[in-house]
């Protein structure tokens, strides 16, 4: 049944448009250049899911001693890893751009699906969880993400024998 | 995060991005994308709703298994609320907050200048 949505416009939020307009209103004259590629790589599953080892990658970070400054993005943050066996009960998200007016991140399972994946391991849907999950900083610099962070995540995934990765940006 | 997906995938690790910023992910281009049309912050399901979270994680696994081509996007069936006003409110620019945003930008630029000076010093 149709709802009250205004369908004279696309219904989903364009975060590219919204971000550009938001920073323009703050006096920033040069708009951010978002990543855009024509070609996309593709790796088929090499074995059945029930034999695959899975990991999770998040943009959240461990709880810092001092609150991070919102909007600074990367700051001193680096790629980090945590033990899936000792999954955290909460992570730090206050510095990230998510909808703080509409929701909250107090339930870690709403953005880090490790507990849910454990259930899928128990039921045999996936083979196992890797020993570590990972965190990647949200960075203004795509070059640092491409040249430093992504290769570091790959290195850690290979060390752990990862076959599949769920990447979960907030 | 989409850049990480592309790098892992190019090196043989199958990935699925589970998220809510549809345009950002699709403009970048990723192998598999599970989209939930929620406010940013809860890409794995509503806080406190373990069953929804289970279904979303399950759909991410389905997508890993089923996708045959890159740029395969699937949207989950969940809606945030009958009240759709969150869409307009996020990072909203309107006459009422224009001056406040301008001041916010000036304050941030000043703080960044100070940080650069401290770094240089």
């Amino acid at each position: 049944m149709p709802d009250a949505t205004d369908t004279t416009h696309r219904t989903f939020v364009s975060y590219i448009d919204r971000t550009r307009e938001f920073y323009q209103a703050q006096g920033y004259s040069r708009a951010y250049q978002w990543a855009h590629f024509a070609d996309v790589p593709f790796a088929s599953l090499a074995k059945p899911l029930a034999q695959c080892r899975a990991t999770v990658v998040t943009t959240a970070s461990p709880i810092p001693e001092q609150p991070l400054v919102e909007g600074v993005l990367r700051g001193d943050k680096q790629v980090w890893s945590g033990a899936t066996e000792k999954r955290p009960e909460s992570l730090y998200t206050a510095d990230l751009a998510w909808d703080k007016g509409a929701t909250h991140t107090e339930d870690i399972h709403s953005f880090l699906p490790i507990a849910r994946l454990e259930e899928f391991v128990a039921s045999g849907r996936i083979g196992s969880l890797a020993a570590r999950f990972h965190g990647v900083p949200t960075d203004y610099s795509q070059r640092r993400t491409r040249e430093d962070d992504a290769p570091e995540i790959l290195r850690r995934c290979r060390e752990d024998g990862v076959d599949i990765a769920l990447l979960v940006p907030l | 995060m989409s850049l990480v997906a592309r790098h892992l995938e190019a090196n043989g690790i199958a990935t699925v991005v589970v998220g809510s910023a549809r345009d950002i992910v699709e403009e970048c281009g990723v192998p598999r994308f599970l989209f939930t049309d929620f406010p940013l912050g809860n890409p794995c399901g509503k806080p406190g709703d373990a069953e929804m979270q289970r279904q979303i994680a399950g759909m991410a696994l389905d997508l890993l298994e089923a996708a045959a081509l890159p740029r395969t996007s699937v949207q989950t069936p969940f809606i945030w609320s009958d009240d759709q006003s969150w869409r307009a409110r996020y990072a909203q620019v309107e006459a009422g907050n224009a001056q406040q945003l301008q001041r916010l930008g000036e304050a941030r630029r000043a703080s960044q200048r100070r940080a650069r000076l401290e770094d240089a010093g």
Side-chain angles (χ1 to χ4, degrees):
Chain A
M1 195 182 79
D3 56 27
T5 306
D6 175 6
T7 50
T8 60
H9 290 58
R10 64 179 164 222
T11 55
F12 64 90
V13 178
S14 170
Y15 291 97
I16 291 178
D17 291 357
R18 208 62 72 80
T19 304
R20 184 187 60 249
E21 290 159 6
F22 191 64
Y23 284 99
Q24 209 164 37
Q26 292 184 33
Y28 291 93
S29 52
R30 245 188 0 190
Y32 185 71
Q33 305 276 325
W34 294 87
H36 181 92
F37 296 91
D39 293 333
V40 179
F42 191 79
S44 298
L45 279 191
K47 49 188 165 186
L49 208 52
Q51 294 169 24
C52 284
R53 181 174 295 169
T55 194
V56 171
V57 186
T58 179
T59 49
S61 48
I63 311 285
E65 287 175 16
Q66 300 286 329
L68 304 181
V69 181
E70 187 172 351
V72 166
L73 283 184
R74 185 180 186 112
D76 294 330
K77 290 196 290 183
Q78 300 295 333
V79 167
W80 65 281
S81 301
T84 47
E85 269 200 352
K86 294 181 196 160
R87 56 183 160 77
E89 289 181 4
S90 61
L91 284 175
Y92 192 74
T93 63
D95 59 321
L96 301 175
W98 48 273
D99 194 338
K100 287 153 192 162
T103 189
H104 64 82
T105 55
E106 285 156 33
D107 176 9
I108 194 168
H109 310 300
S110 73
F111 64 90
L112 191 80
I114 296 174
R116 300 288 87 85
L117 291 181
E118 283 172 355
E119 296 168 358
F120 285 109
V121 173
S123 71
R125 178 95 175 93
I126 49 176
S128 61
L129 270 185
R132 295 180 292 181
F133 68 97
H134 310 286
V136 64
T138 302
D139 199 323
Y140 192 88
S141 162
Q142 292 162 31
R143 182 191 58 75
R144 275 198 300 248
T145 303
R146 273 201 321 270
E147 295 179 9
D148 302 339
D149 297 342
E152 181 59 23
I153 299 276
L154 173 66
R155 191 185 68 73
R156 295 183 193 199
C157 285
R158 280 183 168 158
E159 270 181 11
D160 292 355
V162 164
D163 302 301
I164 55 174
L166 279 75
L167 289 82
V168 194
L170 268 93
Chain B
M1 189 63 96
S2 299
L3 296 171
V4 178
R6 295 171 55 89
H7 189 74
L8 293 181
E9 195 88 17
N11 286 280
I13 294 176
T15 64
V16 54
V17 174
V18 179
S20 294
R22 177 169 158 179
D23 59 333
I24 292 173
V25 174
E26 290 187 338
E27 287 290 342
C28 181
V30 297
R32 304 168 199 78
F33 176 38
L34 184 69
F35 171 61
T36 297
D37 192 11
F38 278 3
L40 300 184
N42 311 124
C44 300
K46 281 188 179 172
D49 191 338
E51 181 49 35
M52 183 193 289
Q53 294 163 5
R54 196 167 292 124
Q55 287 187 46
I56 289 178
M59 283 184 243
L61 297 176
D62 292 345
L63 185 50
L64 273 164
E65 208 165 38
L69 294 166
R71 289 189 193 277
T72 302
S73 290
V74 168
Q75 180 169 350
T76 69
F78 304 113
I79 61 160
W80 181 252
S81 162
D82 288 338
D83 177 2
Q84 303 278 329
S85 60
W86 60 271
R87 299 176 187 282
R89 277 202 311 268
Y90 182 80
Q92 191 173 33
V93 179
E94 54 185 356
N97 69 357
Q99 283 191 336
Q100 186 198 345
L101 288 173
Q102 185 68 37
R103 280 197 300 272
L104 188 69
E106 282 160 14
R108 184 183 289 130
R109 284 187 290 276
S111 119
Q112 284 167 341
R113 274 194 300 274
R114 276 196 301 278
R116 275 197 295 271
L117 282 173
E118 281 168 23
D119 280 353

